[in-house]
Coordinates of all heavy atoms in Angstrom, one line a residue:
S11 N -162.5 170.8 71.9 CA -162.5 169.7 72.7 C -163.6 169.7 73.6 O -164.2 168.6 73.9 CB -161.2 169.7 73.4 OG -160.9 170.8 74.2
G12 N -164.1 170.8 74.1 CA -165.3 170.8 75.0 C -166.6 170.4 74.3 O -167.4 169.8 75.0
S13 N -166.7 170.6 73.0 CA -167.9 170.3 72.3 C -167.8 168.9 71.7 O -168.8 168.5 71.2 CB -168.1 171.3 71.2 OG -167.2 171.4 70.2
Y14 N -166.6 168.3 71.7 CA -166.4 167.2 70.8 C -167.4 166.0 71.0 O -168.0 165.4 70.2 CB -164.9 166.6 71.0 CG -164.6 165.7 69.9 CD1 -164.4 165.9 68.5 CD2 -164.4 164.3 70.2 CE1 -164.1 164.9 67.6 CE2 -164.0 163.3 69.3 CZ -163.8 163.7 68.0 OH -163.6 162.8 67.1
L15 N -167.5 165.6 72.3 CA -168.6 164.6 72.6 C -169.8 165.2 73.3 O -170.8 164.3 73.6 CB -167.9 163.6 73.6 CG -166.7 162.9 73.1 CD1 -166.2 161.7 74.1 CD2 -167.0 162.2 71.8
T16 N -170.0 166.4 73.5 CA -171.1 167.0 74.2 C -172.0 167.7 73.1 O -173.2 167.8 73.3 CB -170.7 168.1 75.1 OG1 -170.1 169.2 74.5 CG2 -169.8 167.5 76.2
G17 N -171.5 168.2 72.0 CA -172.2 168.9 71.0 C -172.8 170.2 71.5 O -173.8 170.9 71.0
I18 N -172.2 170.8 72.6 CA -172.6 172.0 73.2 C -171.6 173.1 73.1 O -170.4 172.8 73.0 CB -172.8 171.7 74.7 CG1 -173.9 170.7 74.9 CG2 -173.1 173.1 75.5 CD1 -175.3 171.1 74.5
Q19 N -172.0 174.4 72.9 CA -171.1 175.4 72.9 C -170.7 175.8 74.4 O -171.7 176.2 75.1 CB -171.7 176.7 72.2 CG -170.8 177.9 72.3 CD -171.5 179.1 71.7 OE1 -172.6 179.2 71.5 NE2 -170.7 180.2 71.5
V20 N -169.5 175.4 74.8 CA -169.1 175.6 76.1 C -169.0 177.0 76.5 O -168.8 177.9 75.7 CB -167.7 174.8 76.4 CG1 -167.9 173.4 76.1 CG2 -166.7 175.4 75.7
K21 N -169.2 177.3 77.9 CA -169.2 178.6 78.3 C -167.7 179.1 78.4 O -167.0 178.4 79.0 CB -169.9 178.6 79.8 CG -169.9 180.0 80.3 CD -170.5 180.0 81.7 CE -170.7 181.3 82.4 NZ -171.2 181.3 83.7
K22 N -167.6 180.4 78.0 CA -166.2 180.9 78.0 C -166.0 181.4 79.4 O -166.4 182.5 79.8 CB -166.0 182.0 76.9 CG -164.6 182.4 76.8 CD -164.4 183.4 75.6 CE -163.0 183.7 75.3 NZ -162.7 184.4 74.0
T23 N -165.2 180.6 80.1 CA -164.9 181.0 81.5 C -163.7 180.2 82.0 O -163.4 179.2 81.5 CB -166.1 180.7 82.4 OG1 -165.9 181.1 83.8 CG2 -166.5 179.2 82.4
M24 N -163.2 180.7 83.1 CA -162.0 180.0 83.8 C -162.5 179.5 85.3 O -161.8 178.8 85.9 CB -160.8 180.8 83.9 CG -160.1 181.1 82.6 SD -158.6 182.0 82.9 CE -159.3 183.6 83.4
V25 N -163.8 179.8 85.5 CA -164.3 179.5 86.8 C -165.5 178.7 86.9 O -165.5 177.5 87.3 CB -164.6 180.8 87.7 CG1 -165.0 180.5 89.1 CG2 -163.3 181.7 87.7
D26 N -166.6 179.2 86.5 CA -167.9 178.5 86.6 C -168.1 177.8 85.3 O -168.9 178.2 84.4 CB -169.0 179.5 86.9 CG -169.1 180.7 86.0 OD1 -168.1 181.0 85.3 OD2 -170.2 181.3 85.7
I27 N -167.5 176.7 85.0 CA -167.4 176.0 83.8 C -168.8 175.4 83.5 O -169.6 175.1 84.4 CB -166.4 174.8 83.8 CG1 -166.6 173.8 84.9 CG2 -164.9 175.4 83.8 CD1 -165.7 172.7 84.9
K28 N -169.2 175.2 82.2 CA -170.3 174.7 81.8 C -170.2 174.1 80.4 O -170.0 174.9 79.4 CB -171.5 175.7 81.9 CG -172.9 175.1 81.6 CD -174.0 176.2 81.8 CE -175.3 175.6 81.5 NZ -176.5 176.6 81.6
A29 N -170.5 172.9 80.3 CA -170.6 172.2 79.0 C -171.9 171.4 78.8 O -173.0 172.1 79.0 CB -169.4 171.3 78.7
G30 N -171.8 170.2 78.7 CA -173.0 169.3 78.6 C -172.6 167.8 78.8 O -171.4 167.5 78.9
V31 N -173.6 166.9 79.1 CA -173.3 165.6 79.3 C -172.8 165.0 78.1 O -173.5 165.1 76.9 CB -174.6 164.8 79.8 CG1 -174.3 163.4 80.0 CG2 -175.1 165.4 81.2
S32 N -171.7 164.4 78.1 CA -171.1 163.8 76.8 C -171.8 162.5 76.4 O -172.3 161.8 77.3 CB -169.6 163.6 77.0 OG -169.3 162.9 78.1
C33 N -171.8 162.1 75.1 CA -172.5 161.0 74.6 C -171.9 159.7 75.3 O -172.7 158.8 75.5 CB -172.4 160.9 73.1 SG -170.7 160.8 72.5
D34 N -170.6 159.6 75.5 CA -170.1 158.4 76.1 C -170.8 158.2 77.6 O -171.0 157.1 77.9 CB -168.5 158.5 76.3 CG -168.1 159.7 77.2 OD1 -168.4 160.9 76.8 OD2 -167.6 159.5 78.2
Q35 N -170.9 159.4 78.3 CA -171.5 159.2 79.6 C -173.1 158.9 79.6 O -173.5 158.3 80.5 CB -171.2 160.5 80.5 CG -169.8 160.7 80.8 CD -169.2 159.5 81.5 OE1 -169.7 159.2 82.6 NE2 -168.3 158.8 81.0
I36 N -173.7 159.4 78.5 CA -175.1 159.0 78.4 C -175.1 157.4 78.3 O -175.9 156.8 78.9 CB -175.7 159.6 77.2 CG1 -175.9 161.1 77.5 CG2 -177.1 159.0 76.9 CD1 -176.2 161.9 76.3
V37 N -174.2 156.9 77.5 CA -174.2 155.4 77.2 C -173.8 154.7 78.6 O -174.3 153.7 78.9 CB -173.1 155.1 76.2 CG1 -173.0 153.5 76.0 CG2 -173.7 155.5 74.8
A38 N -172.8 155.3 79.3 CA -172.2 154.7 80.5 C -173.4 154.6 81.6 O -173.6 153.6 82.4 CB -171.1 155.5 81.0
K39 N -174.2 155.7 81.6 CA -175.4 155.7 82.6 C -176.4 154.6 82.1 O -177.0 153.9 83.1 CB -175.9 157.1 82.6 CG -177.1 157.1 83.7 CD -177.6 158.6 83.7 CE -178.8 158.7 84.7 NZ -179.3 160.1 84.8
H40 N -176.5 154.4 80.9 CA -177.6 153.4 80.5 C -177.2 152.0 80.8 O -177.9 151.2 81.1 CB -177.7 153.6 78.9 CG -178.6 152.5 78.3 ND1 -180.0 152.4 78.4 CD2 -178.2 151.3 77.6 CE1 -180.3 151.3 77.8 NE2 -179.3 150.8 77.3
L41 N -175.8 151.7 80.6 CA -175.4 150.5 80.8 C -175.3 150.2 82.4 O -175.3 149.0 82.9 CB -173.9 150.3 80.3 CG -173.8 150.3 78.8 CD1 -172.4 150.3 78.4 CD2 -174.6 149.2 78.1
G42 N -175.2 151.2 83.2 CA -175.4 151.1 84.7 C -174.5 150.0 85.2 O -173.2 150.2 85.1
E43 N -175.0 149.1 85.8 CA -174.3 148.1 86.7 C -173.8 146.8 85.9 O -173.5 145.8 86.5 CB -174.9 147.9 87.9 CG -175.2 149.0 88.8 CD -176.0 148.6 90.1 OE1 -176.4 147.5 90.2 OE2 -176.2 149.6 90.9
Q44 N -173.9 147.0 84.6 CA -173.6 145.8 83.7 C -172.1 145.4 83.8 O -171.7 144.3 83.5 CB -174.1 145.9 82.4 CG -175.6 145.9 82.3 CD -176.1 146.0 80.8 OE1 -175.5 145.3 79.9 NE2 -177.1 146.8 80.5
T45 N -171.3 146.5 84.1 CA -169.8 146.3 84.1 C -169.4 147.0 85.5 O -170.1 147.7 86.1 CB -169.2 147.0 83.0 OG1 -169.6 148.4 83.0 CG2 -169.5 146.4 81.7
R46 N -168.1 146.6 85.9 CA -167.5 147.0 87.1 C -167.4 148.5 87.0 O -167.5 149.2 88.1 CB -166.2 146.4 87.3 CG -165.5 146.8 88.7 CD -164.2 146.0 88.9 NE -163.6 146.5 90.0 CZ -162.2 146.1 90.3 NH1 -161.6 145.2 89.6 NH2 -161.7 146.5 91.4
F47 N -166.9 149.1 85.8 CA -166.7 150.5 85.7 C -167.7 151.0 84.5 O -167.6 150.4 83.5 CB -165.3 150.8 85.2 CG -164.3 150.3 86.3 CD1 -163.4 149.1 85.9 CD2 -164.0 150.9 87.4 CE1 -162.5 148.6 86.7 CE2 -163.0 150.3 88.3 CZ -162.3 149.3 88.0
P48 N -168.5 151.9 84.9 CA -169.4 152.4 83.8 C -168.6 153.0 82.6 O -169.0 152.8 81.4 CB -170.3 153.6 84.5 CG -170.2 153.1 85.9 CD -168.9 152.5 86.2

């Protein structure tokens, strides 16, 4: 689930989590202020 939209091997940890920016959020940032909710 951690890699599903990020394509990243997530860090095995319970504290200092690390994944990657997910593809949906890359699109959301690109659309910016075109909608009320990115």
